[in-house]
Amino acid sequence: MLFSGTSRTIESYLLDLSHCTEFRERNGVTRRLYTAAWKQAQSLILDWMCEANLDPWIDAVGNVHGRVEGFSDQTILTGSHLDTVVDGGAYDGAYGIIAGIMALGEIKSRQIPLSRSLEVVALCEEEGSRFPMTCWGSRALLGKISREDLALQDAEGVSVSEAMQSCGLSPHEIDWTPSYHYRGFVELHIEQASQLESAHCPIGVVNTIFGQERWNVTVIGESVHAGTSRIVNRHDALVAASEMVLSVYRLAQQYEDKAIGTVGLLQVQNGTSNCVPGHVNFTVDLRAQNDALRESLASELQSMFTECGRRYGVEIVVDPYTSVNAVSMNVELQNLIQKAAHSQRLNTLLLDSRAGHDAQILGTTIPTAMIFVPSYQGLSHHVNEFTKKEDLINGQNVLREVLERAANGMFS
Ligand SMILES: [Zn+2]
């Protein structure tokens, strides 16, 4: 039995949720915040929490919550995010929500007495795929959203506030200083990398979530004739940018175990085949296991950029636009995950997450841990994202046991 009175599999719930997508004609899942597809998914989650007798409710930003009450006023939270990237997969975020509902549904139906309450949440947004913001759902739980966020716009000029209202949510009802007090948070998620698959290990226990920062870099040189200008006189923005891209790559190679850097977007403004490029923009995504290392790599890169600019006679402007610190997971909860896995004869692997998660936000103030299950070939944010049924069930069983143990005093 999964949700009360049904015999559906976790895969069938994932399939149903994957049908809530903006582009039905495409293979991937696209479910951006406050779109019709997102609203449809939110309704499904609400129905499933009802079926599992979790007395669900929707908060002001659209997170869906369900609960099993315990004796004390402390609550252990689980859950993940409901949104996806554009053309993403069926497992990222969705798995942690559905497994959480199933775990709580089973605990509720077995009438297991709980000291602490258990709560599952479908967080409304994490990916940043519609508006220039991320982790809106988990930040809202902590009161880390602001009125300015409501004015942020998507590519069509629709504001967060307008999009909320289109989904029947009222921005005026947002609690800017929420009174949630969670004793712990456990997020179950697909790994999105291939360490577990390579090690033939079913359960990952996350150690640290890498910190990350992103920059917009502008390189301004001089656009001149491709035939008549001498190399020695050029201020070629693209050649300079290319060296900077390589310096990001080489630094990432050098620190491979502890940091990673990527240039994911590069644009030549008004580029034509017969002109020397005069204006180039590119992005830098820099991630590291600890903040001191990230800061030192950031400053090393900026020095390289400055030196490169001097060599090519181009102006360089670095505009950092987002930064999230690295977060260590709670050791007591990590131990609980290991014990739960071992009691089910499942091996565990301690690993870092190089991807950002809601756990990175909630982990700043709530004791937090993450459970990973293997991802086929490490694929994620991809139409072929896949986790085997056996691995899905293992993760869900470990989550249920961790929640039961945490609710009944095996976590201080
Ligand atoms: Zn995710």
Side-chain angles (χ1 to χ4, degrees):
M1 190 168 75
L2 303 177
F3 299 167
S4 300
T6 75
S7 57
R8 290 182 57 182
T9 63
I10 190 164
E11 286 175 308
S12 77
Y13 287 109
L14 283 163
L15 187 65
D16 275 5
L17 208 56
S18 75
H19 291 150
C20 302
T21 177
E22 292 173 51
F23 310 117
R24 296 298 294 262
E25 71 284 6
R26 290 175 14 192
N27 285 331
V29 182
T30 302
R31 194 166 53 237
R32 290 174 294 179
L33 179 66
Y34 304 145
T35 57
W38 177 91
K39 176 73 183 157
Q40 188 192 357
Q42 188 205 38
S43 301
L44 266 187
I45 295 295
L46 192 68
D47 288 349
W48 294 342
M49 285 192 190
C50 278
E51 285 171 27
N53 296 314
L54 301 180
D55 305 319
W57 76 97
I58 295 174
D59 68 22
V61 297
N63 297 323
V64 191
H65 305 247
R67 271 174 82 85
V68 183
E69 294 299 335
F71 301 122
S72 81
D73 57 1
Q74 292 188 349
T75 299
I76 306 290
L77 181 70
T78 188
S80 196
H81 58 95
L82 191 58
D83 68 322
T84 71
V85 295
V86 174
D87 294 332
Y91 299 79
D92 182 357
Y95 172 52
I97 298 170
I98 292 170
I101 299 172
M102 292 172 82
L104 264 63
E106 192 171 329
I107 290 168
K108 176 91 179 192
S109 70
R110 281 165 40 204
Q111 298 181 316
I112 297 166
L114 298 177
S115 174
R116 296 182 173 117
S117 300
L118 291 175
E119 188 169 313
V120 57
V121 63
L123 295 160
C124 61
E125 196 274 343
E126 187 259 1
E127 300 282 11
S129 51
R130 179 169 181 189
F131 298 99
M133 61 178 192
T134 58
C135 300
W136 170 248
S138 50
R139 286 193 293 121
L141 289 189
L142 299 183
K144 290 185 174 178
I145 56 173
S146 68
R147 288 179 174 81
E148 287 75 53
D149 291 340
L150 291 173
L152 294 172
Q153 293 182 347
D154 68 6
E156 274 76 49
V158 179
S159 70
V160 171
S161 176
E162 289 163 342
M164 282 181 75
Q165 290 171 68
S166 77
C167 287
L169 297 163
S170 170
H172 306 293
E173 287 173 15
I174 292 177
D175 183 358
W176 301 102
T177 52
S179 51
Y180 295 111
H181 295 295
Y182 293 111
R183 186 65 197 82
F185 174 61
V186 183
E187 183 173 8
L188 173 63
H189 204 283
I190 58 164
E191 188 198 350
Q192 305 180 282
S194 55
Q195 286 190 74
L196 290 173
E197 188 180 63
S198 303
H200 302 289
C201 183
I203 298 293
V205 184
V206 174
N207 193 30
T208 300
I209 304 177
F210 274 33
Q212 56 175 283
E213 61 187 84
R214 293 180 203 177
W215 310 340
N216 281 318
V217 183
T218 306
V219 185
I220 300 162
E222 190 182 19
S223 181
V224 290
H225 197 289
T228 58
S229 62
R230 308 282 303 207
I231 289 286
V232 70
N233 294 328
R234 289 184 184 182
H235 304 286
D236 188 322
L238 182 57
V239 172
S242 303
E243 279 205 18
M244 290 185 254
V245 172
L246 277 177
S247 66
V248 173
Y249 182 75
R250 288 187 181 126
L251 205 68
Q253 268 184 320
Q254 198 182 334
Y255 289 89
E256 208 176 0
D257 293 336
K258 293 186 171 160
I260 192 79
T262 305
V263 175
L265 183 147
L266 185 145
Q267 292 168 318
V268 178
Q269 302 293 328
N270 304 319
T272 60
S273 61
N274 59 352
C275 276
V276 172
H279 189 139
V280 169
N281 301 98
F282 67 94
T283 57
V284 174
D285 176 307
L286 184 63
R287 303 174 189 227
Q289 199 180 40
N290 65 72
D291 299 327
L293 175 62
R294 199 184 79 241
E295 281 159 23
S296 109
L297 294 180
S299 109
E300 196 174 333
L301 269 182
Q302 296 210 16
S303 304
M304 288 179 188
F305 287 6
T306 305
E307 191 276 323
C308 191
R310 202 165 31 238
R311 214 154 11 92
Y312 288 99
V314 296
E315 186 190 343
I316 293 162
V317 181
V318 177
D319 175 25
Y321 67 93
T322 186
S323 162
V324 187
N325 285 345
V327 173
S328 296
M329 298 290 96
N330 178 272
V331 174
E332 226 183 325
L333 284 173
Q334 287 176 321
N335 290 339
L336 216 51
I337 296 168
Q338 275 164 338
K339 280 184 190 147
H342 295 158
S343 81
Q344 296 177 36
R345 299 176 197 282
L346 299 169
N347 291 332
T348 58
L349 184 70
L350 197 61
L351 38 69
D352 290 327
S353 172
R354 292 169 178 234
H357 293 286
D358 290 303
Q360 195 162 13
I361 303 298
L362 296 174
T364 57
T365 53
I366 302 168
T368 290
M370 284 195 86
I371 305 167
F372 276 175
V373 295
S375 299
Y376 170 69
Q377 293 188 346
L379 287 174
S380 184
H381 290 185
H382 191 282
V383 296
N384 294 337
E385 191 176 85
F386 175 72
T387 294
K388 283 188 297 189
K389 182 178 181 178
E390 185 190 350
D391 290 325
L392 294 172
I393 292 170
N394 284 337
Q396 184 214 329
N397 287 337
V398 170
L399 175 69
R400 191 190 58 245
E401 193 167 332
V402 167
L403 293 174
E404 261 185 68
R405 287 176 183 229
N408 276 333
M410 296 184 75
F411 161 64
S412 64

